[in-house]
Amino acid sequence: MKIKTLSLTDFRAFPGPAPATFELDSKNLLPYGENGSGKSSLFHALRGFFSPDKPADLVELRNSFSEMGVGSIKVEVGFDDATVPVLNVLVDLFAT
C-alpha cells in the first residue's frame, strides 16, 4: 500500500478552511523550501497519522493564525487501494 494523496486542513503551516492537498501518486516525496514553509508540518502530520498513540502536543498542531474554531484540524491520507482514512483523534480531543 502506497500513499496517493495527503490532505491537511488547519494543520500548522496549512490554514483552513480549504485543505492543502498533495498529489503523490505513489511516488517519493522530498520536501524542500524556506524556513516556515511547511516541511516539518508534513512530518508531524504523517507521524501523528501513523502513530499508534496520540501525540502529546495536539493543541499546538493547530494553525495559530486560523480563524476556524478549535477542533477544525484534519489530516487525510489516501492510499493507492482507494481507502482514505482520516485522523479524527484531533477533533475528539477538542470536543471534550
Side-chain angles (χ1 to χ4, degrees), residues 44-56 58 87 89-90:
H44 289 293
L46 290 171
R47 182 185 68 173
F49 187 86
F50 289 107
S51 174
D53 302 320
K54 285 185 188 180
L58 293 177
L87 181 60
V89 68
L90 298 171

Side-chain angles (χ1 to χ4, degrees), residues 16-81:
T21 302
F22 300 89
E23 300 287 338
L24 304 177
D25 293 323
S26 304
K27 296 179 182 174
N28 293 330
L29 173 67
L30 176 64
Y32 68 93
E34 299 288 327
N35 290 344
S37 62
K39 301 178 300 291
S40 295
S41 296
L42 291 172
F43 167 75
H44 289 293
L46 290 171
R47 182 185 68 173
F49 187 86
F50 289 107
S51 174
D53 302 320
K54 285 185 188 180
D57 57 352
L58 293 177
V59 174
E60 296 174 8
L61 298 179
R62 183 175 168 269
N63 183 284
S64 59
F65 299 105
S66 174
E67 295 179 3
M68 296 177 65
V70 173
S72 57
I73 302 169
K74 185 162 62 170
V75 176
E76 294 179 340
V77 178
F79 296 98
D80 58 357
D81 66 352

Side-chain angles (χ1 to χ4, degrees), residues 1-2 78-84:
M1 182 180 328
K2 295 181 181 181
F79 296 98
D80 58 357
D81 66 352
T83 58
V84 183

